């Protein structure tokens, strides 16, 4: 993001005013400890081109680099987990594409910096892309439906993939609808332009529980695209 406003029309149509870097950092500082937890999930329900997600990813990847840069295997797994913990919903497709591309560039730059050339693997980059395609969704955070490239409601629910490691290099994917998280509890409702912490599985309480749509068999983290 270079400017806070792209056009008056976009402000009028979608309230599109991007948050400046200083405010993004200050707001992330309010949840500083969670931003340092590699697997702590965040959802930004009106994510624009990803200002908050980028800052949170930067903080998480710093931790991954500090802890795991000596082991390419551990770095790859944990850096993917960090990426997979970030979710965004955005109603304008051009912003969705910008957000995915931006986070991918950021993730791959960190990977290329942390892992020596001889240890690098192109498939892990494809897995990073795959995660972003499933975590940054073109949708309406009010109807909780996906939206097509022209901005029309598809009538289909927003579904998020939850990523976690099973054993060794095998990664698990479980898909959840997001509707129950938002509608299940008045206190959980996400005001526009506010990031919320996301617990798809509900954790130890029922609060924030999403509804499981599909559970996939574990797959090697470098071959996530085989999920199709
Ligand atoms: C105020 S901007 C904030 C963007 C970003 N969160 C930031 O702070 O830089 C609001 C964004 O929400 C998007 N938006 C507006 N209504 C939405 C809706 N119902 N569902 C999802 N996104 C929406 C707009 O396209 C715009 O990119």
């Amino acid at each position: 993001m270079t400017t806070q406003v792209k056009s008056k029309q976009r402000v009028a149509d979608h309230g599109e005013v991007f948050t400046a870097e200083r405010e993004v950092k200050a707001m992330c500082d309010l949840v500083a400890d969670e931003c340092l937890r590699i697997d702590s999930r965040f959802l930004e329900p009106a994510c624009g081109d990803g200002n908050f997600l980028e800052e949170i990813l930067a903080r998480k990847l710093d931790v991954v680099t500090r802890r795991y840069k000596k082991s390419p295997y551990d770095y790859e797994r944990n850096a993917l987990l960090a990426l997979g913990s970030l979710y965004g919903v955005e109603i304008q497709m051009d912003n969705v594409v910008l957000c995915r591309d931006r986070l991918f560039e950021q993730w791959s730059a960190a990977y290329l910096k942390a892992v020596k050339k001889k240890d690098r693997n192109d498939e892990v980059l494809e897995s990073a892309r795959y995660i972003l395609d499933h975590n940054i969704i073109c949708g309406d955070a009010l109807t909780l439906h996906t939206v097509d490239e022209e901005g029309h409601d598809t009538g289909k629910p927003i579904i998020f993939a939850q990523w976690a490691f099973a054993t060794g290099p095998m990664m698990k994917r479980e898909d959840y609808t997001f509707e129950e998280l938002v509608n299940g509890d008045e206190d959980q409702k996400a005001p526009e332009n506010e990031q919320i912490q996301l617990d798809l599985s509900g954790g130890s309480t029922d609060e924030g529980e999403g509804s499981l749509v599909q559970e996939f068999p574990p797959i090697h983290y470098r071959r996530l695209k085989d999920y199709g």
Side-chain angles (χ1 to χ4, degrees):
M1 191 270 311
T2 47
T3 63
Q4 285 187 263
V5 172
K6 287 182 183 169
S7 74
K8 282 186 185 166
Q9 195 60 50
R10 290 173 72 104
V11 177
D13 290 346
H14 299 290
E16 187 192 71
V17 179
F18 296 107
T19 308
E21 190 180 345
R22 192 181 61 172
E23 279 73 42
V24 170
K25 286 185 186 298
M27 285 174 75
C28 288
D29 286 346
L30 297 173
V31 286
D33 289 346
E34 289 303 322
C35 292
L36 298 178
R37 271 185 49 208
I38 293 168
D39 61 351
S40 169
R41 296 190 187 96
F42 286 83
L43 165 75
E44 203 186 349
C47 69
D49 60 3
N51 289 324
F52 283 94
L53 297 176
E54 181 192 52
E55 176 64 22
I56 298 167
L57 182 60
R59 294 179 186 210
K60 285 173 174 247
L61 289 179
D62 278 351
V63 176
V64 174
T65 302
R66 275 203 306 278
R67 280 193 202 151
Y68 301 112
K69 79 170 172 201
K70 287 189 180 149
S71 161
Y73 169 73
D74 287 331
Y75 180 92
E76 285 181 2
R77 290 170 77 248
N78 284 283
L80 280 183
L81 203 56
L83 188 66
S85 72
L86 303 180
Y87 298 85
V89 176
E90 165 59 45
I91 206 163
Q92 298 187 80
M93 183 55 96
D94 59 348
N95 281 342
V96 171
V97 172
L98 282 171
C99 183
R100 286 176 182 159
D101 287 351
R102 181 180 184 184
L103 297 180
F104 179 75
E105 292 306 323
Q106 181 188 5
W107 193 93
S108 47
Y111 177 60
L112 298 185
K113 201 169 163 197
V115 176
K116 291 193 181 100
K117 198 169 179 183
K118 68 177 176 56
D119 296 319
R120 286 182 210 144
N121 181 283
D122 283 347
E123 283 182 323
V124 81
L125 295 173
E126 290 176 31
S127 285
R129 266 282 176 211
Y130 188 87
I131 286 174
L132 286 167
D133 286 347
H134 288 78
N135 283 26
I136 309 300
I137 292 178
C138 193
D140 186 327
L142 300 177
T143 64
L144 308 178
H145 290 167
T146 58
V147 162
D148 68 18
E149 299 209 358
E150 280 78 47
H152 300 131
D153 189 322
T154 65
K156 294 181 186 151
I158 292 172
I159 290 175
F160 285 120
Q162 175 176 276
W163 310 97
F165 275 96
T167 48
M170 305 304 276
M171 205 169 200
K172 277 195 309 185
R173 170 180 164 190
E174 290 175 353
D175 283 1
Y176 290 85
T177 61
F178 187 53
E179 190 168 359
E180 281 181 39
L181 173 60
V182 179
N183 288 334
D185 180 341
E186 283 294 308
D187 295 338
Q188 295 280 318
K189 283 196 175 178
E192 194 173 313
N193 198 25
E194 216 174 83
Q195 81 221 20
I196 60 171
Q197 274 210 258
L198 180 63
D199 187 351
L200 294 169
S201 62
S204 56
T205 73
D206 287 340
E207 277 190 21
E209 189 166 3
S211 169
L212 181 63
V213 179
Q214 196 174 353
E215 196 174 347
F216 295 81
I219 205 168
H220 194 288
Y221 70 84
R222 285 181 174 171
R223 289 194 293 277
L224 296 185
K225 68 176 189 314
D226 291 353
Y227 276 135

